[in-house]
Amino acid sequence: MTRLLPLGGRPAVSGALLALCVIAHPPTAARGAPQAPPLLQECTFSVEERAAIARWLDGHAVGIAIPRHAPDDGQDAGATRMAEALERGSIIGLGEATHGSQEEQVVRFGLVRALVSAGKVSVIAIEANRLPSEALNRYIGGEPGDLARIMADPALFDVLRTDEFTRLLQWLRRWNSKSGHPRITLVGVDVQDPANELRTALAMVADGPDHDKVARLRQIAGPLLADEAAKLADWLSAATYAQHQEQLRNARALRDFIRAEMPRQRRALMLVENAVAGLEAFEYYPVDARSMAIPPDFVGRRDRAIARNVQAAAEQGRLVFLAHDTHVVAAPASYRHITAPSVGSDLRQKLGTQYVTVNFAWGTGAVKAIDLSALNSPGGKMPNRTEVRLPAAEEGDLAFLLKGSSAQSFWFRPDWLPAVSWGSKLRDCPMGRRWVGAAIDPAAWDTTKGLHALSKGTDLLVWIRDISPSL
């Protein structure tokens, strides 16, 4: 998950591009302390209304039991019922409110197993870079390979290096190995790995019709490609805006060259187009670019690029898209006082009700995340992911209303809510969604929870009372 924050009067990165969080909170940057917006009077709930919501949830929400791990046989009654409720969508957006809780992973990967077992999806698109995902796809397809080594690729996001995701990949490999089972394909749809994508594409076209031109393009790309283990964050932290622009122009030139001279090199073209999208998405992240006027289309470039990749992958079959709620939600996502287009809002606009969403809410507990409060001290360095405990739900949060139910976990569709005053408010009022990315500053929790109405892009909501860090 990646959203923008005020930083010294200018937008900056925050959240889930892993090491890119360091750009969001540089130790020397002066940051204000914006206050949480006041609750809208028409969106406050009386004691009687909260009690009515609790009674309705106990009578209508579908309770689920969450085991320690998703069943390896794919036979989970709760997940099966959820899969049945997602019958209509050709693309299913399967979110998560955090990038680091065990219970959410158990539910969502259990739902993936149920969808696959029922023949409802044949493509899994994940919020991950394309090249490491290609290696994962080869693994689940049965090719020889060391899964631990594949998942150690620096271009694979840390939030995916969990026991639950590993177990899902192993299950998919077993599924694909059985005769009569339709083959499941896994595709990475993110755009945060332009250096490796350009490096791979340049190697593919090096022996083409114009050796000299490819060599010149490769030479110009040299600074971006210098360190094979470097992430996009490393480049953005060190590059000037002018250097970034040179790489962007060069990537576009390579794209145009392949289109004109080597159109049969479709994979190389796809990788370069992805690299261009990634460089465009983070065009104004170099430090000296933060005083520049940002064009209106800049916020949302990454999500629009991911949406294009999701739609392209869906041409192979019915698809489930695994990403953070801020990407999945089928409306612009309001997060950290910024409202930005989401992948889901783009897909809903293009596909209508053929795009359906599953989002999450939780009440209390801890997540595995980068604790950004360590960066507030002089000389603070980017810490590793660790257990971060967050405050319990409070008034103004969706979870504050849902915790009145006697159930530990459940799901419901917002369109089930009755047409009474409290039902309309629960559907339509923007409320804190307690969204947590790969990094969080607990001290700024009140300003980073995200505000979103259930009716604005959530087709099915999963509630988990207590969460714990992913394993």
Side-chain angles (χ1 to χ4, degrees):
M1 177 181 66
T2 305
R3 286 291 176 260
L4 301 179
L5 275 181
L7 174 61
R10 298 289 298 142
V13 187
S14 133
L17 29 159
L18 309 173
L20 269 179
C21 321
V22 74
I23 302 172
H25 299 273
T28 57
R31 298 198 305 277
Q35 300 299 310
L39 295 176
L40 297 175
Q41 185 63 37
E42 61 269 27
C43 289
T44 59
F45 291 78
S46 67
V47 173
E48 293 76 18
E49 286 177 318
R50 296 202 301 269
I53 290 171
R55 288 193 299 271
W56 184 88
L57 290 169
D58 285 341
H60 295 84
V62 181
I64 52 176
I66 303 178
R68 181 169 175 79
H69 296 290
D72 276 338
D73 60 5
Q75 303 304 310
D76 181 315
T80 299
R81 284 197 67 181
M82 269 192 280
E84 292 170 352
L86 299 170
E87 185 66 39
R88 77 167 189 262
S90 60
I91 296 179
I92 299 167
L94 178 49
E96 57 183 350
T98 83
H99 263 326
S101 69
Q102 176 70 5
E103 292 75 15
E104 285 182 300
Q105 291 203 16
V106 169
V107 172
R108 65 204 298 259
F109 294 152
L111 180 52
V112 171
R113 289 171 170 88
L115 289 166
V116 169
S117 298
K120 295 180 181 294
V121 299
S122 58
V123 182
I124 300 171
I126 60 174
E127 183 187 349
N129 290 322
R130 189 171 292 273
L131 287 172
S133 299
E134 287 181 353
L136 294 176
N137 185 54
R138 290 192 293 272
Y139 172 81
I140 70 169
E143 293 186 21
D146 181 345
L147 182 56
R149 176 174 290 185
I150 295 171
M151 295 189 72
D153 186 330
L156 188 72
F157 299 154
D158 287 344
V159 296
L160 294 172
R161 297 191 183 103
T162 67
D163 287 353
E164 283 307 311
F165 187 56
T166 298
R167 288 164 60 88
L168 175 65
L169 294 168
Q170 292 167 337
W171 183 85
L172 290 168
R173 183 179 174 95
R174 292 194 297 274
W175 172 273
N176 280 336
S177 71
K178 296 178 181 178
S179 61
H181 281 181
R183 190 186 187 285
I184 304 302
T185 301
L186 186 145
V187 180
V189 291
D190 213 333
V191 293
Q192 297 186 48
D193 194 26
N196 286 321
E197 290 165 347
L198 288 171
R199 182 182 293 108
T200 302
L202 283 162
M204 294 175 68
V205 300
D207 296 327
D210 192 335
H211 304 276
D212 291 340
K213 182 161 188 176
V214 173
R216 288 194 300 273
L217 293 169
R218 174 64 177 81
Q219 183 179 18
I220 296 171
L224 181 61
L225 311 183
D227 185 349
E228 291 197 17
K231 299 173 183 175
L232 179 59
D234 301 323
W235 166 254
L236 293 174
S237 297
T240 65
Y241 181 73
Q243 290 169 332
H244 189 278
Q245 287 298 296
E246 181 181 39
Q247 294 302 321
L248 182 52
R249 287 192 298 271
N250 192 56
R252 288 169 175 162
L254 177 59
R255 176 198 61 193
D256 296 343
F257 167 75
I258 297 174
R259 283 177 177 172
E261 303 296 335
M262 306 180 71
R264 293 187 179 181
Q265 285 282 9
R266 294 179 181 177
R267 181 168 178 267
L269 179 58
M270 175 268 294
L271 289 173
V272 175
E273 288 174 338
N274 221 51
V276 170
L279 291 170
E280 290 175 342
F282 303 108
E283 181 177 359
Y284 294 93
Y285 283 21
V287 174
D288 65 339
R290 295 180 186 171
S291 61
M292 297 179 180
I294 291 178
D297 77 313
F298 176 67
V299 178
R301 284 184 187 177
R302 177 186 170 216
D303 277 58
R304 284 190 290 270
I306 293 175
R308 290 193 297 270
N309 287 341
V310 169
Q311 279 200 278
E315 294 175 2
Q316 303 175 49
R318 195 174 187 222
L319 179 149
V320 58
F321 167 49
L322 299 174
H324 195 276
D325 273 356
T326 52
H327 297 306
V328 163
V329 69
S334 297
Y335 182 69
R336 300 178 186 263
H337 301 318
I338 298 291
T339 298
S342 67
V343 178
S345 63
D346 190 277
L347 294 174
R348 178 59 61 84
Q349 184 178 22
K350 293 174 179 174
L351 301 176
T353 57
Q354 285 301 300
Y355 176 68
V356 298
T357 64
V358 179
N359 296 134
F360 284 75
W362 58 278
T364 188
V367 298
K368 192 171 185 180
I370 296 170
D371 186 346
L372 292 174
S373 60
L375 294 178
N376 294 330
S377 58
K381 296 181 179 179
M382 178 60 62
N384 295 323
R385 297 178 73 228
T386 187
E387 178 177 332
V388 181
R389 180 160 292 277
L390 294 169
E394 56 190 5
E395 190 170 4
D397 293 338
L398 174 63
F400 183 77
L401 301 172
L402 302 183
K403 70 178 184 179
S405 168
S406 61
Q408 289 297 307
S409 304
F410 57 75
W411 65 268
F412 68 93
R413 293 177 54 103
D415 58 12
W416 291 353
L417 289 166
V420 296
S421 175
W422 63 260
S424 298
K425 287 197 291 185
L426 187 56
R427 267 195 310 270
D428 299 330
C429 280
M431 287 178 280
R433 296 295 283 267
R434 300 172 65 75
W435 286 331
V436 181
I440 185 71
D441 185 347
W445 175 242
D446 283 347
T447 66
T448 61
K449 290 185 291 190
L451 289 172
H452 220 273
L454 276 175
S455 62
K456 303 298 184 184
T458 296
D459 296 310
L460 187 154
L461 185 80
V462 179
W463 155 258
I464 302 171
R465 184 178 300 278
D466 302 304
I467 60 172
S468 58
S470 53
L471 302 175

